[in-house]
């Protein structure tokens, strides 16, 4: 049962129901509507999304489209009323994408693929809302399997030199930890919808793996999720067992917060200390003890001989020539990231009025010259591809979901999950538009539907006087 009085967390299950296989039809075996088959479909969809974001293999796109098509076919009867109920949302989103497409395609041919992916993720968010039980099971399986895979890999290669950098050739450790964050947010949201509960163990595991991956923003986002699962659900009555569990969880959260901020702060402090690492000596020495370069040396030799400052907690890593961003955007620079700040400032400064509306090209910017077209910011990327109108429509959908008639506890929990995704998207191209938009829009759809159902359940006062 739900831990919140007045919550109707199972009303979705009762309202939606399940599509019963029609006996005597040969195609029921091709696409039956049972929970086991839908769980397999949704798990394939999540796995494909994971690999599309991390490594972008061709097979993942095929699995994504095929599993999405099967999901639409299985939920086609219940999906149409949901589409009609939110036609304004779908219409505004589709209009923003369509209006921006000509200019976006002119600037970048891949905008056509982004257009299709953006529309598909919103449609999948609607379809997944109709299958909370299979969605919950699939989300749990994929999250736990991915967590175990990352942990086993880290144990096998060791914890030095950013171990998660080596897990996938086409992705940095930021991609791994960001994917963990999205899968964790997705699981928390679906578990809350289906059962009114939160997941503690998987959230702790996500935080630990983000620390292993040395991702600053991922660690902070995982800490935010720890705070969320600590607060929700609020204890509504005194119970020794529940209070003991809550005290233990609060202690774990506090310790994890102190440890993580210590891990994040030490490298930043090390930049202010008069200690450097000398390549000649191979250990930490003071500037006065380190060999001084000759004054008559050429400038290039002077730069090459300068020692690097590395925090005592963070491994000493040289960024490969083909990946200059590895060492510069990790924990080595502490909480403040000069590279990402410079990219944001460079993109915004000098933008014309037309570029503000239709999006600005990366040509001539360090985003293209130094970082291979990756702005490390979801909002810059969204504006670059589809312009201002696209961002405004997403903001309108988000605000409509947050200010819906959803009960305050439910709204606060889901809003916290949206904030976690938005925060992580500020330092990584995580959403808008990516395959992970389905998680973001799924939360928005649930809030809108929950508010709509609550309004429908209230009696309407038509001015009829009560009988005397």
């Amino acid at each position: 049962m739900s831990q919140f009085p007045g919550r109707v967390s199972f009303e979705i299950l009762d309202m939606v129901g399940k599509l019963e296989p029609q006996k005597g039809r040969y195609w029921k075996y091709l696409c039956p509507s049972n929970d086991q088959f839908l769980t397999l479909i949704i798990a394939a969809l999540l796995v494909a999304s994971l690999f599309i974001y991390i490594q972008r293999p061709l097979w993942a796109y095929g699995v994504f489209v095929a599993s999405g098509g099967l999901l639409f076919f299985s939920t086609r009867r219940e999906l149409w009323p949901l589409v009609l109920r939110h036609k304004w949302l779908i219409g505004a989103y589709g209009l923003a994408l369509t209006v921006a497409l000509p200019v976006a395609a002119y600037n970048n041919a891949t905008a056509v693929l982004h257009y299709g992916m953006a529309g598909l993720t919103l449609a999948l968010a609607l379809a997944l809302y109709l299958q909370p039980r299979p969605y919950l099971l699939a989300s749990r399986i994929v999250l736990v399997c991915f967590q175990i895979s990352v942990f086993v890999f880290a144990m096998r290669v060791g914890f030095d030199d950013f171990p998660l950098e080596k897990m996938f050739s086409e992705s940095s450790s930021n991609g791994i930890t960001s994917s963990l964050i999205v899968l964790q947010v997705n699981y928390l949201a679906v578990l809350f919808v289906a059962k009114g509960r939160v997941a503690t163990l998987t959230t702790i595991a996500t935080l630990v793996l983000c620390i292993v991956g040395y991702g600053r923003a991922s660690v902070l986002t995982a800490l935010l999720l720890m705070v969320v699962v600590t607060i929700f659900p609020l204890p509504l009555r005194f119970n020794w067992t529940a209070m003991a569990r809550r005290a233990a969880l609060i202690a774990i959260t506090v310790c994890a917060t102190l440890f993580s901020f210590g891990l994040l702060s030490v490298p930043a402090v090390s930049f202010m200390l008069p200690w450097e690492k000398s390549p000649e000596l191979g250990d930490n020495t003071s500037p006065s003890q380190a060999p001084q370069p000759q004054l008559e040396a050429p400038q290039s030799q002077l730069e090459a001989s300068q020692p690097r400052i590395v925090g005592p907690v963070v491994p000493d890593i040289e960024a490969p020539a083909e990946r200059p961003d590895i060492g510069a955007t990790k924990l080595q620079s502490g909480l403040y990231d000069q590279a990402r700040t410079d990219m944001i400032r460079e993109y915004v400064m000098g933008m014309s009025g037309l570029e503000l509306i239709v999006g600005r090209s990366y040509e001539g910017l360090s985003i293209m010259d130094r970082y291979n077209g990756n702005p490390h910011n979801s909002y810059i990327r969204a504006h670059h591809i589809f312009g201002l109108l696209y961002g405004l429509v997403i903001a309108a959908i988000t605000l409509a979901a947050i200010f819906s008639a959803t009960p305050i506890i439910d709204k606060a929990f889901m809003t916290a999950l949206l904030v976690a995704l938005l925060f992580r998207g500020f330092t990584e191209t995580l959403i808008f538009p990516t395959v992970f938009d389905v998680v973001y829009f799924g939360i928005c759809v649930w809030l809108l539907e929950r508010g709509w159902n609550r309004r429908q359940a209230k009696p309407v006062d038509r001015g009829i006087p009560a009988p005397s």
Side-chain angles (χ1 to χ4, degrees):
M1 295 298 293
S2 171
Q3 302 185 30
F4 301 110
R7 271 185 53 85
V8 201
S9 34
F10 286 100
E11 70 177 7
I12 301 173
L13 307 179
D14 298 334
M15 177 190 69
V16 173
K18 295 188 299 181
L19 288 172
E20 295 296 334
Q22 299 185 19
K23 296 181 179 180
R25 297 293 187 91
Y26 67 91
W27 48 263
K28 73 176 181 179
Y29 300 103
L30 176 65
C31 189
S33 299
N34 53 65
D35 283 359
Q36 293 79 12
F37 189 79
L38 286 174
T39 300
L40 182 62
I41 291 176
I42 297 172
L45 187 71
L46 293 175
V47 170
S49 301
L50 185 64
F51 277 90
I52 288 173
Y53 181 76
I54 292 178
Q55 213 170 15
R56 298 180 294 277
L58 290 178
W59 64 262
Y61 288 96
V63 172
F64 187 86
V65 174
S67 56
L70 287 174
L71 184 62
F72 291 142
F73 183 75
S74 299
T75 59
R76 63 194 182 281
R77 291 187 180 88
E78 283 83 0
L79 188 59
W80 182 243
L82 191 62
V83 170
L84 292 179
R85 196 149 56 241
H86 299 290
K87 55 183 178 294
W88 64 269
L89 179 152
I90 300 171
Y93 187 70
L95 179 64
L97 289 172
T98 304
V99 169
L101 182 60
V103 176
Y106 176 79
N107 292 332
N108 191 345
T110 59
V112 177
L113 299 177
H114 292 308
Y115 178 86
M117 188 63 69
L120 184 58
T121 51
L122 179 58
L124 285 173
L126 295 170
L128 288 171
Y129 168 84
L130 299 172
Q131 303 295 337
R133 285 193 184 99
Y135 192 10
L136 173 61
L137 181 57
S139 300
R140 181 185 296 125
I141 292 172
V142 173
L143 172 62
V144 172
C145 288
F146 189 54
Q147 287 179 334
I148 293 174
S149 300
V150 175
F151 180 76
V152 169
F153 179 83
M155 291 292 293
R156 186 170 63 86
V157 302
F159 296 97
D160 296 330
D161 299 344
F162 296 137
L164 301 189
E165 293 284 350
K166 310 166 188 175
M167 190 168 181
F168 293 97
S169 60
E170 299 295 327
S171 178
S172 67
S173 63
N174 274 334
I176 307 297
T177 56
S178 298
S179 301
L180 282 168
I181 291 294
V182 174
L183 292 178
Q184 184 63 54
V185 169
N186 176 67
Y187 179 56
L188 288 173
V190 181
L191 181 62
F192 192 80
V193 169
K195 295 189 176 181
R197 296 193 291 105
V198 294
T200 304
L201 294 179
T202 57
T203 307
I204 295 174
T206 296
L207 174 60
V208 171
L209 292 174
C210 288
I211 294 174
V212 169
Y214 301 117
R216 293 160 297 171
S218 293
V219 171
L220 294 177
T221 309
L223 284 173
L224 173 60
L225 296 179
M226 281 293 300
V227 173
V228 170
V229 301
T230 302
I231 296 175
F232 296 95
L234 296 171
L236 299 177
R237 56 185 178 182
F238 185 81
N239 181 285
W240 281 109
T241 304
M243 295 300 292
R245 292 175 60 187
R246 180 56 51 83
L249 187 56
I250 292 174
I252 292 173
T253 303
V254 172
C255 293
T257 301
L258 294 176
F259 175 79
S260 300
F261 272 94
L263 183 67
L264 294 171
S265 301
V266 167
V269 174
S270 68
F271 277 91
M272 298 182 289
L273 297 177
W275 297 92
E276 296 179 345
K277 186 166 184 179
S278 171
E280 291 82 1
L281 299 181
D283 58 357
N284 288 338
T285 60
S286 66
S288 60
Q289 297 170 332
Q292 299 297 323
Q294 298 296 325
L295 295 178
E296 64 271 18
Q299 182 65 24
S300 59
Q301 296 181 11
L302 284 172
E303 293 176 353
S305 64
Q306 290 298 320
R308 290 188 300 119
I309 305 173
V310 180
V313 175
V314 182
D316 181 11
I317 296 172
E318 284 287 355
E322 67 274 9
R323 295 291 303 281
D325 58 314
I326 287 180
T329 60
K330 299 290 184 183
L331 285 169
Q332 281 179 280
S333 55
L335 291 172
Y336 179 72
D337 193 329
Q338 185 65 46
R340 285 180 169 87
T341 303
D342 290 342
M343 280 190 284
I344 296 173
R345 184 185 298 113
E346 186 182 26
Y347 183 83
V348 174
M349 297 299 292
M351 184 184 298
S352 66
L354 180 61
E355 288 175 332
L356 176 64
I357 297 174
V358 302
R360 184 179 183 181
S361 173
Y362 291 154
E363 294 298 329
L365 303 180
S366 62
I367 296 174
M368 181 62 69
D369 298 337
R370 294 187 57 190
Y371 300 102
N372 197 27
N374 184 2
H376 295 83
N377 186 295
S378 295
Y379 313 112
I380 288 180
R381 179 174 177 270
H383 182 267
H384 161 72
I385 297 175
F386 290 123
L388 182 62
L389 182 60
Y390 172 71
L392 292 177
V393 170
I394 291 178
I397 293 173
T398 305
L399 292 176
I402 292 175
F403 290 101
S404 62
T406 308
I408 186 64
I409 296 296
D410 301 19
K411 185 186 301 185
F413 182 83
M414 291 297 188
T415 301
L417 297 183
L418 289 178
V419 169
L421 288 177
L422 292 172
F423 174 76
R424 190 63 190 92
F426 192 78
T427 55
E428 196 67 28
T429 54
L430 190 67
I431 46 179
F432 308 144
T434 71
V435 288
F436 287 150
D437 288 359
V438 66
V439 177
Y440 188 90
F441 287 132
I443 297 175
C444 292
V445 167
W446 185 84
L447 285 172
L448 292 169
E449 273 293 289
R450 184 82 169 91
W452 184 85
N453 292 331
R454 196 183 185 202
R455 289 195 304 269
Q456 293 298 111
K458 289 183 177 180
V460 180
D461 183 7
R462 301 185 183 280
I464 302 176
S468 55

